[in-house]
Amino acid sequence: MNVVNPPEKDSAALADPRQARLAFRNGLKRHTSCVAPGYVQANLAILPRDWASDFLRFCQRNPKPCPLLATSEPGDPALPVLGEDIDLRRDLGSYRVWRDGEHVDTVQDVSDLWQDDFVAFALGCSFSFEQAILEDGIRMRHVDQGLGVPMYRTNIQTAPAGPFGGDMIVSMRSFRPADAIRAVQITSRFPSVHGAPVHVGLPHLIGIRDMDADALGWQVPVAEGEIPLFWACGVTPQVAIGTARPPIAISHDPGYMLVTDRLNSSLAVM
Amino acid sequence: MNVVNPPEKDSAALADPRQARLAFRNGLKRHTSCVAPGYVQANLAILPRDWASDFLRFCQRNPKPCPLLATSEPGDPALPVLGEDIDLRRDLGSYRVWRDGEHVDTVQDVSDLWQDDFVAFALGCSFSFEQAILEDGIRMRHVDQGLGVPMYRTNIQTAPAGPFGGDMIVSMRSFRPADAIRAVQITSRFPSVHGAPVHVGLPHLIGIRDMDADALGWQVPVAEGEIPLFWACGVTPQVAIGTARPPIAISHDPGYMLVTDRLNSSLAVM
């Protein structure tokens, strides 16, 4: 049974999280799907200290889209709790730079933008629960097709904290009904990587009118006999940054995650 | 918050499981919904010893519709593991009598039918997980309306064992999507009372063409904005008895369950 995508030709070294980070640090730009299988990957948000406190409260109030795995010391680009050698300025394949809430640039290195008051937030990512679903023998069409997961902006409002707030972004995966129930069970074990879905079956109730046209990024159809599940998505903090309009912020570029040394299985709560 | 139906006028004594069994033993005939709140109630199947081994294998192979809580000693109408004083011949409000797979009679006492080779099987019942759902603040329409739960015969085939087999019966409860996800989580904790649903959202896939016309017993509509969940149902063994056609069998009458001394909460696996 093919439970994970085959390793790509350039990726023998990318199976190891430390080697993968080194490759990104040295200029490799590629999605982290299939990189360091079995290891936690993280969404990233970096904000000046004056904004970090409100953002931290935003995460605390919205644990499904913003499950906090780790926070950095102010000004320190290390994050030893997730990997001894992590350099948050260079270890992602691609970063988004935000100014006044606008995504103004996409870069591979933020060393020249680094500020000594920057605080980084590493948030759980659905790659971790996708591994658990795949290891249960349940296939997902976007994985089979080598695509990113379809995402949608919903009418579900996050709980605001200071200037941070706005709509929740969700990711969608469709399953046969029995597999959908199993996927709820599996992902419930992983609250620190979005946990159970936030919605099932009736997309119009959360403001999705057209499953194809409204998809952000990738379109993946829901087949006959399948039911869509929607999980809170780690792109939601980027909406919150757009709402809050801090003078500067840095995030991962969707799909280009922080690869950590922590095992996915260590996140299961039972 | 009204989490359980109010006690009825005749039921002060019925709050205690032993008193409730005594009332049934002395001739009371009423559904056991709201009887002995918090205590496990059980589906019942009684078969001659020659048929019991195949039926036991049937239960083992179909744990979702037939989750075994207890089996009796051959010929012994006691079931001390579920209640010290249980008399399986008289402690249910209503029994069904089956001959050659046909439901031929409904009685309140099976003492005169009792055989010294009878083996009784007590199977988990959805009342236990319904309590857990209600205690989570999630309402169910059939409970609010004081009705039994709607049941459906499906095209899901049970795994046969000897002469026992046939279609699975399911019970249906509809929820708003977020509550449906929560209901999957809650019921997953209770595998010995049917556990997680077997189906969600697309009834035609399991052979249900008309949610009203196909309902067995009670019709309860699925409201706009709700999604139906389907659980394996403890009436399934009665279909299996109809398939196997043993010369005699006794079951509970749906809704008239065996009230036990075991607490529902003791069934949670985590």
Side-chain angles (χ1 to χ4, degrees):
Chain A
M1 188 175 48
N2 179 26
V3 294
V4 291
N5 282 344
E8 296 176 22
K9 59 185 184 305
D10 62 349
S11 64
L14 299 185
D16 175 75
R18 187 180 294 228
Q19 293 299 314
R21 287 195 298 272
L22 197 61
F24 295 128
R25 196 178 305 165
N26 290 329
L28 176 66
K29 177 169 181 172
R30 58 152 283 170
H31 278 222
T32 51
S33 173
C34 308
V35 170
Y39 290 91
V40 174
Q41 298 189 21
N43 297 283
L44 188 68
I46 301 173
L47 289 154
R49 188 176 197 162
D50 287 350
W51 296 75
S53 170
D54 282 337
F55 187 77
L56 182 56
R57 287 191 301 123
F58 179 75
C59 294
Q60 188 278 322
R61 291 177 183 175
N62 298 280
K64 297 204 85 162
C66 307
L68 261 180
L69 294 174
T71 57
S72 73
E73 292 298 313
D76 187 349
L79 203 56
V81 69
L82 294 181
E84 274 187 25
D85 65 334
I86 286 175
D87 182 342
L88 292 170
R89 300 167 299 188
R90 301 186 289 158
D91 281 4
L92 270 63
S94 184
Y95 297 83
R96 284 182 171 181
V97 181
W98 304 76
R99 293 191 187 273
D100 300 317
E102 301 291 328
H103 169 210
V104 295
D105 204 1
T106 302
V107 300
Q108 289 187 250
D109 188 320
V110 295
S111 298
D112 58 337
L113 299 171
W114 194 260
Q115 300 181 184
D116 61 11
D117 67 343
F118 270 177
V119 180
F121 299 85
L123 308 167
C125 157
S126 59
F127 285 157
S128 297
F129 75 63
E130 286 190 342
Q131 181 197 346
I133 290 172
L134 292 166
E135 287 179 350
D136 207 62
I138 298 173
R139 301 177 71 152
M140 289 173 283
R141 189 163 299 106
H142 75 282
V143 175
D144 286 345
Q145 296 184 351
L147 301 175
V149 70
M151 297 178 284
Y152 297 90
R153 192 161 182 145
T154 71
N155 61 15
I156 303 171
Q157 293 303 297
T158 57
F164 294 96
D167 300 335
M168 186 186 293
I169 305 289
V170 296
S171 60
M172 188 282 292
R173 296 157 189 85
S174 64
F175 302 91
R176 291 176 300 151
D179 289 341
I181 292 163
R182 186 77 185 130
V184 171
Q185 293 179 311
I186 292 167
T187 56
S188 293
R189 299 177 62 221
F190 292 92
S192 59
V193 288
H194 305 307
V198 293
H199 192 78
V200 53
L202 302 170
H204 65 280
L205 291 184
I206 56 171
I208 302 170
R209 281 173 293 191
D210 184 317
M211 289 286 282
D212 288 331
D214 291 350
L216 307 175
W218 295 270
Q219 290 182 11
V220 178
V222 177
E224 182 68 27
E226 291 182 343
I227 189 163
L229 290 179
F230 299 88
W231 277 268
C233 175
V235 174
T236 305
Q238 299 187 19
V239 173
I241 287 169
T243 304
R245 309 181 68 80
I248 187 167
I250 291 163
S251 75
H252 73 287
D253 194 10
Y256 299 83
M257 317 304 288
L258 173 65
V259 177
T260 81
D261 290 351
R262 188 157 176 193
L263 285 168
N264 285 328
S265 59
S266 75
L267 298 180
V269 292
M270 60 187 85
Chain B
M1 190 175 50
N2 180 24
V3 295
V4 291
N5 284 344
E8 296 175 21
K9 59 185 185 305
D10 63 348
S11 64
L14 299 184
D16 175 76
R18 186 179 293 228
Q19 294 299 315
R21 287 195 299 271
L22 197 62
F24 295 127
R25 197 178 304 166
N26 290 329
L28 176 66
K29 177 168 181 172
R30 59 152 283 171
H31 278 224
T32 52
S33 173
C34 308
V35 169
Y39 290 92
V40 173
Q41 298 188 22
N43 297 284
L44 188 69
I46 300 174
L47 289 154
R49 188 177 197 160
D50 286 351
W51 297 75
S53 169
D54 281 338
F55 187 77
L56 182 56
R57 287 191 302 123
F58 180 76
C59 294
Q60 187 279 321
R61 291 177 184 175
N62 297 280
K64 297 203 86 161
C66 307
L68 260 180
L69 293 175
T71 56
S72 72
E73 292 298 313
D76 187 350
L79 202 56
V81 69
L82 294 181
E84 273 187 27
D85 65 334
I86 286 176
D87 182 343
L88 292 170
R89 300 167 299 187
R90 303 186 288 158
D91 281 5
L92 270 63
S94 183
Y95 297 84
R96 284 182 171 181
V97 182
W98 304 76
R99 292 191 187 275
D100 300 318
E102 301 292 327
H103 169 209
V104 296
D105 205 0
T106 302
V107 300
Q108 289 186 249
D109 188 321
V110 295
S111 298
D112 57 337
L113 300 171
W114 194 261
Q115 300 181 183
D116 61 11
D117 67 343
F118 269 178
V119 180
F121 299 84
L123 309 167
C125 156
S126 59
F127 284 159
S128 297
F129 74 64
E130 285 190 343
Q131 181 197 347
I133 290 171
L134 292 166
E135 287 180 349
D136 208 61
I138 299 172
R139 301 176 72 153
M140 290 173 283
R141 189 162 298 106
H142 74 282
V143 175
D144 285 345
Q145 298 184 349
L147 302 175
V149 70
M151 296 179 285
Y152 298 89
R153 191 160 182 143
T154 71
N155 61 14
I156 303 172
Q157 293 305 296
T158 57
F164 294 96
D167 300 335
M168 187 187 295
I169 305 290
V170 296
S171 60
M172 188 282 293
R173 296 157 189 84
S174 64
F175 302 91
R176 291 175 301 152
D179 289 342
I181 291 163
R182 187 76 185 132
V184 171
Q185 294 180 310
I186 292 167
T187 57
S188 293
R189 299 176 64 222
F190 293 93
S192 59
V193 288
H194 305 306
V198 293
H199 192 78
V200 53
L202 302 170
H204 66 281
L205 291 184
I206 56 172
I208 302 170
R209 280 174 292 190
D210 184 317
M211 289 286 281
D212 288 331
D214 292 350
L216 307 175
W218 295 270
Q219 291 182 13
V220 179
V222 177
E224 182 69 27
E226 291 183 343
I227 189 164
L229 290 180
F230 299 87
W231 277 268
C233 176
V235 174
T236 306
Q238 300 187 19
V239 173
I241 287 170
T243 304
R245 308 181 68 81
I248 187 167
I250 291 164
S251 75
H252 73 288
D253 194 11
Y256 298 82
M257 317 304 289
L258 173 65
V259 177
T260 81
D261 291 350
R262 187 156 176 195
L263 286 168
N264 286 327
S265 59
S266 74
L267 299 179
V269 292
M270 60 186 87

